Amino acid sequence: MFDLGDLTLTFCFFGVLAYFWRAQGTRELALRATRKHLDQQQLQLLDGHVALRAVWCKPDANGQIKLWRRYIFEFTATGHERYKGQVVTLGNRIEGFELEPHRFPNDIIH
């Protein structure tokens, strides 16, 4: 038979599992949005991924507490230099991007 302790542990396990499942979905959302954002600026995502840098709780525009996540990535304009960027999500919504100062693709001299 299950006692209250076993039931609590089971709920905690499934809660942690649900958190990681949702976090993976948010990371995929951030990756797709980053690729699209960089493509629009004629930049290239390097290494093909975004990495979670920070997580914290913050209220959204409606006052509901949501997880705010910051992912970092590297990109290039020329294929030779590496620059850093970050994308911030609030819940399952993209809040914004920050890119290091970089060369523009049209500024490249051949």
Side-chain angles (χ1 to χ4, degrees):
M1 287 282 313
F2 281 109
D3 63 2
L4 188 56
D6 293 336
L7 191 58
T8 302
L9 284 175
T10 302
F11 277 121
C12 288
F13 172 75
F14 283 113
V16 168
L17 189 63
Y19 168 78
F20 282 110
W21 182 272
R22 184 140 186 156
Q24 181 67 18
T26 303
R27 189 188 72 76
E28 289 297 322
L29 171 76
L31 179 59
R32 283 191 310 272
T34 299
R35 283 187 175 135
K36 182 178 178 183
H37 182 74
L38 293 177
D39 283 346
Q40 289 171 345
Q41 296 189 28
Q42 297 177 338
L43 301 171
Q44 180 183 1
L45 178 65
L46 296 174
D47 305 325
H49 75 279
V50 295
L52 183 64
R53 183 62 161 192
V55 176
W56 63 98
C57 293
K58 183 174 179 176
D60 64 7
N62 298 326
Q64 295 179 334
I65 300 295
K66 302 254 178 150
L67 282 181
W68 187 290
R69 294 177 175 97
R70 182 175 30 161
Y71 297 90
I72 59 172
F73 56 90
E74 290 186 334
F75 67 96
T76 186
T78 65
H80 299 312
E81 297 102 358
R82 293 177 85 92
Y83 301 101
K84 294 185 186 309
Q86 64 181 6
V87 57
V88 175
T89 64
L90 180 58
N92 279 332
R93 199 178 86 216
I94 301 296
E95 283 294 300
F97 293 90
E98 283 187 31
L99 304 177
E100 280 185 348
H102 59 280
R103 291 183 191 217
F104 290 97
N106 296 333
D107 293 342
I108 301 168
I109 300 171
H110 295 283

